[in-house]
Amino acid sequence: MSLGKAARSLVSPLRGALRCSGLSRSYTAAAAARAVLEHELETIRAAGTWKAERIITSKQGPEISVDGSRGSILNFCANNYLGLSSHPEVVQAGIDALKTHGAGLSSVRFICGTQDLHKKLEQKLAEFHEREDCILYASCFDANAGLFEVLLGPDDAVLSDELNHASIIDGIRLCRAKRLRYKHMDLGDLETKLKEAQSSRMRLVVTDGVFSMDGDVAPLRGICDLAEQYGAMVFIDECHATGFLGPRGRGTDELLGVMDRVHIINSTLGKALGGAAGGYTVGPKPLIDLLRQRSRPYLFSNALPPPVVGSATRAVELLLASNEIAQSMTAKTMRFRNKMTQAGFTIAGSAHPICPVMLGDARLASLMADDMLKLGVYVIGFSYPVVPKGKARIRVQISAAHTDEDIDRCVDAFIQTGRKHGVIS
């Protein structure tokens, strides 16, 4: 045997052994990771905070079909505040855009992903909010992720409400500004933090307009007063206000009379404005121009699909033409809140279509939601980490599409379920 053949005869088994050893280590690592993941999942189940996904087999609306349930189910869980996600004109606009502009752009905006539809929607949204310009994102989560690191640097300061949405918190983490967190809706603590930030180049106060878990409205008048006193700008996230709060549905800033004092607004197309997907920033034109140049979620995400843009554009046009839909919300919201309070339930927030039925215990919230579904009402239990521990609730959301009879049926189901579980007598 030649020396080369002898060497190869020795090396080949060695390589095989090394390969087997590498595979063994790989399988061992995967098995260990799987065990860790399964333990974590079991911990979630044991705590009663498992979030199961129910399967809807119909379009979104006040009545839906749910897999495993018989008959039509009343839906009191969607963020479809104005009922526009299945509005005939909104749906038709999406169909028309699909036919004329295709299913998608296969590209980001600055390469070859901007259509006339996108520019039209941005113009409509800027008009709706009475701001200079607008930029679209794939979601409001992306809008929040893309704003702060562009606007703020290490010489600046951001002052954030402690209960701001997770997307705001994540977006702020990406920027290099000094971060100060003030107590929830506490103007005294905000002033203290503003005083601490006086040495910063720019100061930005950041708050949800409406806090989605409790339905409470930020004290924007007081925030704007302090911002002006201490030379700060004001940012609000309006996902749970755009389209229905305020006399014309413009949002929290209109409701509280500070539209000309709030500088930057982020909001969503995925709730009141058609319910599909997409988010946006409206504000000063120089800011919007800079976001188009540097905002990473905008630069590196595909353009919004034409059907989504078409549907959202029609939703905004309907609201620009009339405030009738927005104005119908107040009476329906108060009907539910008053009847539930009279029945003995504790409802958080005030005068907002988000109506959290406070229960405290995560397992109780989940069980009651399951029992409500059996009675023909779709609601979901919210628990940690979506809300703080000990603050579990069923978050009911009223829609302009709900009738008084729908609301009364929902209240009756709550009373029956609440008595079964000892929540009310």
Side-chain angles (χ1 to χ4, degrees):
M1 178 185 297
S2 70
L3 184 59
K5 288 183 178 179
R8 285 193 294 273
S9 68
L10 291 172
V11 169
S12 295
L14 180 59
R15 284 177 176 165
L18 287 173
R19 282 197 297 269
C20 291
S21 177
L23 286 172
S24 176
R25 285 195 298 271
S26 175
Y27 284 128
T28 300
R34 185 182 186 90
V36 170
L37 296 174
E38 289 179 344
H39 173 73
E40 188 67 21
L41 292 171
E42 186 54 40
T43 300
I44 296 172
R45 292 188 184 95
T49 58
W50 183 265
K51 286 165 278 297
E53 295 184 356
R54 295 170 178 169
I55 309 301
I56 297 173
T57 58
S58 64
K59 63 185 178 182
Q60 184 64 274
E63 294 187 6
I64 55 176
S65 298
V66 179
D67 187 34
S69 298
R70 298 179 63 182
S72 181
I73 304 295
L74 282 177
N75 186 7
F76 278 88
C77 199
N79 293 315
N80 184 25
Y81 289 107
L82 300 177
L84 294 181
S85 63
S86 54
H87 189 287
E89 292 184 39
V90 173
V91 173
Q92 186 60 50
I95 294 171
D96 293 343
L98 177 66
K99 291 179 178 178
T100 60
H101 288 71
L105 277 301
S106 305
S107 182
V108 301
R109 287 281 297 269
F110 84 94
I111 298 177
C112 63
T114 298
Q115 292 178 318
D116 54 340
L117 289 178
H118 296 97
K119 302 307 293 183
K120 179 181 179 181
L121 177 54
E122 287 171 336
Q123 181 270 320
K124 292 288 184 183
L125 288 168
E127 177 186 350
F128 182 81
H129 286 282
E130 299 180 7
R131 298 310 197 275
E132 291 181 9
D133 205 355
C134 172
I135 180 173
L136 292 172
Y137 287 89
S139 68
C140 190
F141 203 113
D142 278 349
N144 285 337
L147 172 69
F148 302 107
E149 70 170 336
V150 173
L151 177 63
L152 303 173
D155 297 328
D156 305 315
V158 56
L159 303 96
S160 177
D161 188 293
E162 65 180 351
L163 293 188
N164 276 337
H165 191 269
S167 60
I168 295 176
I169 294 170
D170 285 357
I172 290 173
R173 285 173 178 163
L174 293 172
C175 79
R176 294 181 293 164
K178 181 180 180 181
R179 305 170 209 165
L180 300 97
R181 188 173 65 172
Y182 64 92
K183 295 176 184 177
H184 181 48
M185 300 200 308
D186 187 326
L187 294 177
D189 194 41
L190 173 58
E191 182 170 18
T192 298
K193 299 299 191 295
L194 280 166
K195 290 177 180 178
E196 292 179 24
Q198 282 305 287
S199 62
S200 299
R201 181 187 63 168
M202 290 195 302
R203 290 158 294 283
L204 180 67
V205 181
V206 175
T207 181
D208 278 314
V210 173
F211 292 85
S212 61
M213 289 301 106
D214 293 303
D216 46 0
V217 179
L220 282 185
R221 287 179 185 171
I223 288 173
C224 289
D225 288 344
L226 287 173
E228 289 165 6
Q229 181 180 346
Y230 291 96
M233 296 187 298
V234 177
F235 162 95
I236 55 175
D237 179 309
E238 286 285 81
C239 287
H240 290 275
T242 297
F244 58 92
L245 279 194
R248 299 171 300 154
R250 298 307 190 260
T252 313
D253 57 342
E254 183 188 45
L255 176 71
L256 299 178
V258 292
M259 286 190 75
D260 58 341
R261 302 170 71 191
V262 172
H263 304 93
I264 307 167
I265 294 175
N266 280 5
S267 194
T268 182
L269 307 174
K271 293 181 172 58
L273 302 184
Y280 58 89
T281 298
V282 292
K285 190 176 189 320
L287 170 64
I288 303 304
D289 288 343
L290 187 60
L291 291 172
R292 292 192 196 281
Q293 300 303 310
R294 293 184 178 172
S295 182
R296 291 166 68 86
Y298 178 82
L299 290 171
F300 298 104
S301 296
N302 265 24
L304 278 176
V308 171
V309 178
S311 293
T313 301
R314 187 61 190 137
V316 176
E317 288 172 344
L318 289 171
L319 296 179
L320 284 168
S322 171
N323 60 2
E324 182 179 350
I325 302 176
Q327 289 183 338
S328 71
M329 294 292 294
T330 302
K332 294 178 180 182
T333 296
M334 296 316 298
R335 183 182 187 90
F336 178 82
R337 284 180 170 274
N338 290 338
K339 284 179 172 286
M340 287 290 285
T341 301
Q342 291 167 9
F345 290 98
T346 299
I347 311 298
S350 62
H352 190 277
I354 294 173
C355 303
V357 183
M358 303 305 294
L359 299 169
D361 181 77
R363 193 179 302 278
L364 172 63
S366 179
L367 290 173
M368 280 189 61
D370 289 342
D371 285 346
M372 291 282 289
L373 184 60
K374 295 173 184 175
L375 296 174
V377 177
Y378 187 112
V379 289
I380 294 290
F382 283 58
S383 57
Y384 182 81
V386 180
V387 297
K389 290 181 179 179
K391 298 287 186 178
R393 81 276 313 261
I394 291 176
R395 191 184 69 170
V396 175
Q397 300 203 214
I398 306 300
S399 166
H402 287 131
T403 65
D404 288 348
E405 291 74 18
D406 293 339
I407 293 170
D408 292 347
R409 276 184 58 193
C410 181
V411 171
D412 289 343
F414 262 111
I415 291 173
Q416 183 176 335
T417 306
R419 286 174 176 165
K420 173 183 176 182
H421 291 278
V423 176
I424 59 172
S425 57

